[in-house]
Every structure is written in structure tokens, then in C-alpha cells.
Amino acid sequence: MHSSRKHDWGWMFLSVLFVAAVLLGVRYSSGILQTGFVFDEKYITVPIDNLIEHGWSVQNAIDFEETKGPAMIWPYAVLGDLFGGSLNALRFVSVLCSIACMGVLSFIASLCGVRKSAHLIIALGWLLLPYSLVFSEIVMGEVSFMLLELLAVAVFIKHRDHYKLLAPLCFGLLVAIALHSRIHVVAVVGAVCVVSFLRDGFRSWPWWVAGVLAGLLRIPLWIRWEGLVSPKYQNLHGLGFRLESLSYLAAALAPFVGIFAVCAWKHKEARKWLFAAGAFAFLLVIVATPNLHIPESIDYDSPNERFQGIVGTAVQMIASDQTIQKLLLAILAAVGLAGLVGLQKMPQKNVASQLSFYTLTFGWLLYAFTQGFVFDRFLLVWAFLLPIVWWTQLPRTLFVLQSTAMLIITLRLAVLWL
């Protein structure tokens, strides 16, 4: 877990330029600048446009209707207004956030021992993370949220050897801001606390306190909204117990970490854990099968559930028979959860792989206590360190295989949405 003190600043800067060139190239060479609303843009831009056009009243700045919080809406309104206030101006804010994400990710990679031209490979991995390229070009909450997560993780990794109050205080402040965007950052907080405790025991208390205090700062907005999200959307995203969410997200993990089931299988001591995780996930889908049917319209007045994304689409494309769909989901869930366990069972782990394992695990478990929509893209905000993990933990043959799979998914999503 030792973090390196040496940084190849030139290569790191080049990796950021590479991401910037690709994102700007896609922006001006694809049809996105001539495209209307994509994904959730027709919903998410409403409170942003209200701030730009009607000013910063309490109604516009706090009592808006959206699933994202003020920490996402406000920066887009400020920067979007600065760039002209149009939809494409707001999309440019996403481009800038993604470029900034790469800068922080490259710094974290350097702390994990990544050197020289390997930073360009990390940059490619960032672009190939499922949904990362698409969300970097449109107005969604993921890239700005991941920027806050990356900054928080960078503070932790850089300063985890120095348990003074300044670093945990900065970490807690970043987490508090991120919590006012979306609550998914609690998985990152849990991961940081566990990794810190495994290394330093009770000396890790400042990170725990910082996480708890950041969580308490989210309570006023929770009370004002009377829920996790604004009132209009609470039937789409809310608290409740549901195993189907775990079933679907276990399958959705397969593209992200399934490769580690293959990688860890060569270690005999890991095989029983891989088999147990796979068997558990397989049975979980059989017992709690998510319904992949997508209603044509959204009923905001009644509880809703949707399981939708890469995995759901692929399964429905392969088979129309529900029994076969269930079997395919069960197999993918077995691969996904076994891969997650395989990541943890790798013999040589750096701090990025440890944080990724616990973040994804806590994030996956978090959805046992939620109801409403579940999408594959929810995993993206917990997978932001995987470009580092793929490169540092996988044999080169498996790395090429993983990258190829990610390239296919990314191209498919780009053609579909951009």
C-alpha cells in the first residue's frame, strides 16, 4: 500500500492532453452539438436553466425538482452561464469536468506507482470506462460527482501516512460537497475508513470522524426534501429493502470486474471464494429475478422500478424467452460477483485496488436498501479507480482482453447516444 513520491509530470500532463483531445474531438466530430436532449438531460437541465434565466432564489437554488443535489446543479449553472447558457454550453462543463478528473486520476496513478507512458494507458482506461465517454459529452451528474470523489481519494492516498487534522478535514469537506450531489459517495467513505483501519487500526479515527461529520451535514437537505431526492422523484429513488437490486447490479458488475475472476482463478486458495461468490450470485438471481420489462412512461405518483442498461439490453437482445433471460442474468451475476471477490483475492494489491474493492462492495450492498430505478451506470461512480487497477493488477493478455471489451461497449454507447 506504499504510495510513491515520484511523479512523471510530463507524462501526466500528456495524458490529460490526450483525454482533452479525444473529448474535444468527439464533441466537434460527432453529432452531439446538433442533437437534442440525451439520456436525462431534459430533466436535469430544468433547474440549471431556471437558475441561469430566473436567478438565485431559494425556490430555484434549493427547492428544485431533480434527483441530483445542489452541488451538481449550482456549478453547472455558474459555469454554463459563463459559457453562454445553452445546452451545448452546459455540455462543455461536462467536458471540462472529465478532463479535470483525468488530471486527478493521473496523480493518483502516480501515487500507486504508474510511470511514464503508462499514464497514457490510464487515460485510455478512463475513456473506456462504461459510460464515461458519453457522460463526458452530455449534461449528467456523473463526471462532476466523480471529480469530487477523485479529489477526496487523492487527499486520502497522498496524506494517509500523516494523521493530522488537515487532510481528514479536507477529505470531509469534499465528501460533504459530494453528498449534496448524490449519496453514492457513502460507499467511498466506507472504503476509505476500512482501508485506513486495516493499515493503522484506531489511529485511523480522523477519517472516520470526517466521514460521519460530512454525513451529518447532509441531514438538513434530507429534512427539507423529506427524502433522499426531491419530492417529485421519491417514487423513483427511495429507501426500502429489495434483493432484485442486488441481483441486477451483481450482473452489471461483470463488464467492470468480471475479468478478475479469471485472473484470480490461478491461485488455488482463491478458488473456493470465487466459487462461493459465483454460486451465491447465481442463486440470488434465481430467487430474486429483476423484471427487465421497461414501461413506456414514468408514473411519478406511484413506486417505480426499472432495471436497465448494458446488461439488461444485452440479455434482451440475446433472448426473448424470460427463462433464458433469467439464466443469462444468473450467469452474468456469478461472473460479476466472483470478479469482485477475485479483485480482493489478488496476491499483490495497491491502494487503488483495495479502495475499488471496498467501494464497489459497499455500493453494491447499498442497493439492498433502496427501491426504484437501478441502472448499470450507477456502478460508474464507484469504478473510477479501475483504469489504474486494470493496468497494475492484470496480466497483459487479460488487460488487452478487458480493454477490447471496454472498447466495444464504449463504441456501442457512443454510436447510440452521440
Side-chain angles (χ1 to χ4, degrees):
M1 289 180 57
H2 178 67
S3 60
S4 174
R5 305 296 181 185
K6 181 182 177 183
H7 303 288
D8 296 315
W9 295 108
W11 285 104
M12 292 164 64
F13 182 66
L14 191 60
S15 70
V16 176
L17 285 182
F18 172 72
V19 168
V22 171
L23 293 182
L24 291 173
V26 171
R27 176 177 170 87
Y28 292 107
S29 64
S30 68
I32 190 61
L33 294 180
Q34 291 77 44
T35 302
F37 293 132
V38 177
F39 265 99
D40 293 343
E41 285 186 326
K42 63 181 177 181
Y43 308 112
I44 204 169
T45 56
V46 171
I48 299 173
D49 289 339
N50 284 338
L51 280 174
I52 294 174
E53 296 171 7
H54 305 297
W56 289 70
S57 65
V58 173
Q59 177 67 33
N60 292 335
I62 299 177
D63 295 332
F64 55 82
E65 294 287 356
E66 233 301 309
T67 59
K68 312 304 183 293
M72 185 270 159
I73 303 300
W74 295 357
Y76 270 83
V78 172
L79 294 175
D81 190 22
L82 183 65
F83 297 135
S86 66
L87 175 61
N88 285 326
L90 298 179
R91 287 169 171 169
F92 186 62
V93 177
S94 294
V95 172
L96 294 179
C97 285
S98 187
I99 295 171
C101 282
M102 185 58 229
V104 184
L105 182 64
S106 187
F107 180 72
I108 294 173
S110 184
L111 292 174
C112 293
V114 172
R115 290 289 168 264
K116 297 184 177 180
S117 60
H119 282 284
L120 292 175
I121 297 175
I122 304 301
L124 183 62
W126 170 253
L127 294 171
L128 294 184
L129 268 174
Y131 294 104
S132 179
L133 177 64
V134 171
F135 288 170
S136 297
E137 300 287 351
I138 63 177
V139 187
M140 294 287 283
E142 279 76 7
V143 287
S144 61
F145 179 72
M146 285 191 290
L147 178 57
L148 293 169
E149 291 182 306
L150 282 162
L151 287 169
V153 167
V155 168
F156 169 68
I157 297 177
K158 175 64 176 175
H159 298 287
R160 61 195 170 88
D161 295 330
H162 308 286
Y163 286 92
K164 298 180 181 179
L165 294 181
L166 181 59
L169 180 63
C170 292
F171 171 79
L173 178 61
L174 288 164
V175 168
I177 297 172
L179 277 169
H180 283 77
S181 178
R182 55 172 70 193
I183 65 164
H184 294 75
V185 75
V186 299
V188 178
V189 175
V192 165
C193 290
V194 169
V195 170
S196 178
F197 181 79
L198 290 175
R199 174 182 168 88
D200 295 291
F202 290 106
R203 286 197 301 142
S204 64
W205 67 266
W207 303 101
W208 291 77
V209 172
V212 171
L213 291 177
L216 293 176
L217 292 175
R218 180 61 167 78
I219 292 178
L221 185 60
W222 190 326
I223 293 174
R224 188 177 186 91
W225 279 359
E226 298 180 343
L228 298 177
V229 296
S230 63
K232 178 181 179 181
Y233 293 93
Q234 287 178 11
N235 283 321
L236 311 185
H237 303 278
L239 296 178
F241 183 75
R242 188 176 62 181
L243 290 177
E244 287 81 1
S245 299
L246 292 184
S247 298
Y248 187 80
L249 284 182
L253 280 168
F256 290 89
V257 295
I259 194 73
F260 290 104
V262 179
C263 190
W265 187 258
K266 64 182 179 181
H267 305 291
K268 292 183 179 180
E269 64 278 6
R271 290 178 183 175
K272 62 181 179 181
W273 295 103
L274 297 176
F275 181 80
F280 173 78
F282 188 94
L283 292 174
L284 183 63
V285 173
I286 300 302
V287 172
T289 308
N291 182 0
L292 299 182
H293 172 71
I294 307 300
E296 293 183 2
S297 60
I298 299 175
D299 181 3
Y300 294 100
D301 298 323
S302 302
N304 284 254
E305 65 176 37
R306 290 192 182 196
F307 303 93
Q308 192 174 359
I310 298 170
V311 166
T313 300
V315 167
Q316 290 179 309
M317 288 176 63
I318 294 171
S320 58
D321 182 80
Q322 292 187 359
T323 301
I324 298 177
Q325 289 181 359
K326 176 187 288 192
L327 180 61
L328 290 173
L329 275 176
I331 293 172
L332 286 170
V335 172
L337 206 58
L340 186 59
V341 171
L343 174 59
Q344 204 278 330
K345 293 299 178 181
M346 297 293 290
Q348 300 295 327
K349 296 185 289 291
N350 54 35
V351 67
S353 61
Q354 288 191 315
L355 287 171
S356 291
F357 167 73
Y358 286 110
T359 299
L360 287 166
T361 300
F362 290 146
W364 176 66
L365 291 173
L366 177 68
Y367 268 84
F369 305 101
T370 65
Q371 292 183 345
F373 290 3
V374 176
F375 301 139
D376 302 56
R377 58 184 169 88
F378 291 172
L379 294 176
L380 175 63
V381 299
W382 300 317
F384 53 89
L385 294 178
L386 283 184
I388 300 172
V389 180
W390 291 332
W391 175 249
T392 59
Q393 301 297 301
L394 290 174
R396 292 300 170 249
T397 302
L398 292 182
F399 175 79
V400 171
L401 180 62
Q402 176 68 19
S403 299
T404 302
M406 295 300 95
L407 177 61
I408 293 172
I409 292 173
T410 298
L411 289 176
R412 165 66 179 172
L413 291 171
V415 170
L416 187 63
W417 297 107
L418 302 179

